[in-house]
Amino acid sequence: MKNFILDISYDGNHYSGWQRQKNKRSVQGTIEKVLKKILKEKKASLTSASRTDAGAHAVHQIANFKLSKGPFLKPEPLLKALNAVLPSDIRINSLRSARADFHARYWAKKREYHYLIYNHKINSPFYQKYAYYYPKSIDLNLLRKTLSYFKGRHDFAPFANLSKTNVKTTVRTLYQISYKKKGPLITIILKGDGFLKGMIRNIIGSVLAINKLKQNPSLIKEIFRLQKRTKERLIDKSGSTVPAYGLYLYRVYY
Amino acid sequence: MKNFILDISYDGNHYSGWQRQKNKRSVQGTIEKVLKKILKEKKASLTSASRTDAGAHAVHQIANFKLSKGPFLKPEPLLKALNAVLPSDIRINSLRSARADFHARYWAKKREYHYLIYNHKINSPFYQKYAYYYPKSIDLNLLRKTLSYFKGRHDFAPFANLSKTNVKTTVRTLYQISYKKKGPLITIILKGDGFLKGMIRNIIGSVLAINKLKQNPSLIKEIFRLQKRTKERLIDKSGSTVPAYGLYLYRVYY
């Protein structure tokens, strides 16, 4: 038995997310289909560090898969075969042997995501499906303050979409949440032990709502305390989520 | 009579180039159609600084158009109407009144183009239609030397596709030809008084052929002297042009 680890990039625009789904084109399903074809196996099952949303991208997704015929298989030719057959919006950056007990999800210590905002009066044709177009001005000082309220260990339930999920706890730790700006492009960098479904897009949506409505960023503290984004609160009325095509799984730390 | 000047960005991937063509989707044709619709005019004719190739992009294309009903028309609402109706892969960055005799092509003093090369073993899903994928290693010292041979005033006929064109002279001046590198992305920057059809893609193709075949870069000088890329020369055999989707009209100087 052999265990292989893959580093994968993909443009998520034409996929219904990472996770395999019946009758839908997923990244996992696409790679598994190609693996089965190349290896002439009936089954090939990938385990990934993150299940990215429909439309979300990955710069370095990490996945592993196990094979009984592994000992006879060299990583280098398999990597070449995969990239030759896969569609060009999915690329395997590397493929190598891993310890038999390596598990891409359980072993992951930190995950880093980037969310891209294109902040300019006129959108760019080159970022239309790769960054969230936000034409209103962004108060960078307020942005920095608002982001700081998310840092640390919190129950992130009010910033998650928990329907159709089955998680033991909604407590997560955000080690880093910061931004960098280059011209009209603002990148929000989030590093945490794990992320709930919808968590990043709800965080960014709330941050932009606070910017738009010039709210006090301490509202975030209040939401964590009350554990809800109540209907009375303005933050709920102004679109509390942002599109997936601005979201990138950037790196996984083991 | 009023003269308007436009600054335009476009992703050229879904267009047969700037120039209006019968039964083909061009950038010029698309904008003119929208202009006619908005202005309720039978004719609207754009003049541009550059006719970009099929598939090539523009960060700042400059164009102008004249209108008899101009005096009653304000630039700001027209800009908004254009961006509201145009497809999202074309954006008008600005629109303003110009002198009556302003001509986007004749008045242009310099044009700046960028050519993007993605130089890495594995291609990136995010650059597949925005940079030329070149997996072989590039000798940056040789690249710099090769580029330097193109600088200055030359008869660029051996680096142009002159069929179906009608130019008075094939002599052009390249004020700048240099590169910058950021990770796997190499950008070739070209600034000149004008460019012949196919000139940039032939230059980049020849530069990469010299790299691949480890030729002496003085071969470029020889080609200018002989005014042909002869069949005997290796440079001809190794694909002397590169795809248009790596090419960007970056700026026009007046």
Side-chain angles (χ1 to χ4, degrees), chain A residues 58-73:
Chain A
V59 178
H60 295 291
Q61 166 77 288
I62 304 296
N64 73 296
F65 71 96
K66 297 183 177 186
L67 264 189
S68 50
K69 60 157 84 159
F72 316 109
L73 208 76

Side-chain angles (χ1 to χ4, degrees), chain A residues 126, chain B residues 9-19 27 50-59 61 89 113-115 129-130 200-201 242-249:
Chain A
F126 306 107
Chain B
S9 296
Y10 48 86
D11 174 342
N13 274 309
H14 300 112
Y15 295 92
S16 62
W18 165 265
Q19 200 166 16
V27 178
S50 164
R51 297 189 201 103
T52 53
D53 295 347
H57 317 291
V59 178
Q61 166 77 286
D89 54 3
Y113 287 88
H114 290 187
Y115 195 88
K129 294 300 277 179
Y130 298 98
I200 294 171
R201 292 162 59 195
V242 287
Y245 57 73
L247 184 59
Y248 297 73
L249 171 58

Side-chain angles (χ1 to χ4, degrees), chain B residues 111-248:
Chain B
R111 290 155 178 94
E112 180 175 339
Y113 287 88
H114 290 187
Y115 195 88
L116 266 59
I117 300 165
Y118 193 83
N119 181 226
H120 195 67
K121 255 199 322 185
I122 313 277
N123 199 1
S124 161
F126 306 106
Y127 284 102
Q128 44 165 330
K129 294 300 277 179
Y130 298 98
Y132 175 51
Y133 168 51
Y134 186 82
K136 290 169 206 84
S137 79
I138 292 181
D139 178 337
L140 292 175
N141 198 32
L142 182 65
L143 174 66
R144 190 181 46 73
K145 275 186 196 154
T146 312
L147 293 178
S148 74
Y149 279 100
F150 288 97
K151 209 182 155 181
R153 189 176 156 85
H154 303 281
D155 185 338
F156 280 94
F159 297 99
N161 308 330
L162 297 171
S163 67
K164 287 196 260 174
T165 64
N166 183 20
V167 285
K168 282 177 207 151
T169 166
T170 48
V171 174
R172 295 288 183 275
T173 302
L174 258 185
Y175 303 110
Q176 184 192 339
I177 176 163
S178 57
Y179 78 90
K180 58 180 182 187
K181 182 170 158 61
K182 199 186 164 188
L185 207 64
I186 294 174
T187 304
I188 313 282
I189 299 151
L190 304 102
K191 216 183 277 182
D193 56 356
F195 292 86
L196 301 166
K197 199 171 170 228
M199 182 171 147
I200 294 171
R201 292 162 59 195
N202 276 302
I203 288 176
I204 308 293
S206 301
V207 167
L208 291 178
I210 284 177
N211 177 75
K212 184 183 162 193
L213 305 163
K214 299 185 194 305
Q215 292 262 24
N216 191 322
S218 68
L219 181 60
I220 301 301
K221 201 172 157 182
E222 196 67 2
I223 292 170
F224 278 131
R225 196 179 62 84
L226 295 169
Q227 277 297 304
K228 55 183 173 180
R229 290 187 281 176
T230 62
K231 286 221 167 112
E232 289 74 22
R233 296 195 173 278
L234 277 171
I235 202 170
D236 244 356
K237 293 179 192 161
S238 59
S240 54
T241 191
V242 287
Y245 57 73
L247 184 59
Y248 297 73

Side-chain angles (χ1 to χ4, degrees), chain B residues 27-127:
Chain B
V27 178
Q28 181 186 19
T30 302
I31 303 175
E32 286 176 351
K33 208 171 128 188
V34 173
L35 265 177
K36 282 186 279 185
K37 195 175 156 186
I38 292 171
L39 301 169
K40 294 178 178 71
E41 290 272 357
K42 281 204 183 96
K43 259 191 82 175
S45 183
L46 285 170
T47 303
S48 73
S50 164
R51 297 189 201 103
T52 53
D53 295 347
H57 317 291
V59 178
H60 295 290
Q61 166 77 286
I62 304 296
N64 72 297
F65 71 96
K66 297 182 176 186
L67 265 189
S68 51
K69 58 157 84 158
F72 315 108
L73 207 75
K74 293 269 186 295
E76 194 59 26
L78 182 56
L79 171 68
K80 283 192 177 157
L82 274 168
N83 281 327
V85 182
L86 279 168
S88 56
D89 54 3
I90 301 178
R91 292 291 89 186
I92 313 296
N93 298 308
S94 69
L95 186 154
R96 55 192 176 77
S97 301
R99 281 177 48 168
D101 55 345
F102 174 80
H103 189 287
R105 182 153 67 255
Y106 299 150
W107 281 37
K109 285 203 175 69
K110 290 181 204 172
R111 290 155 178 94
E112 180 175 339
Y113 287 88
H114 290 187
Y115 195 88
L116 266 59
I117 300 165
Y118 193 83
N119 181 226
H120 195 67
K121 255 199 322 185
I122 313 277
N123 199 1
S124 161
F126 306 106
Y127 284 102

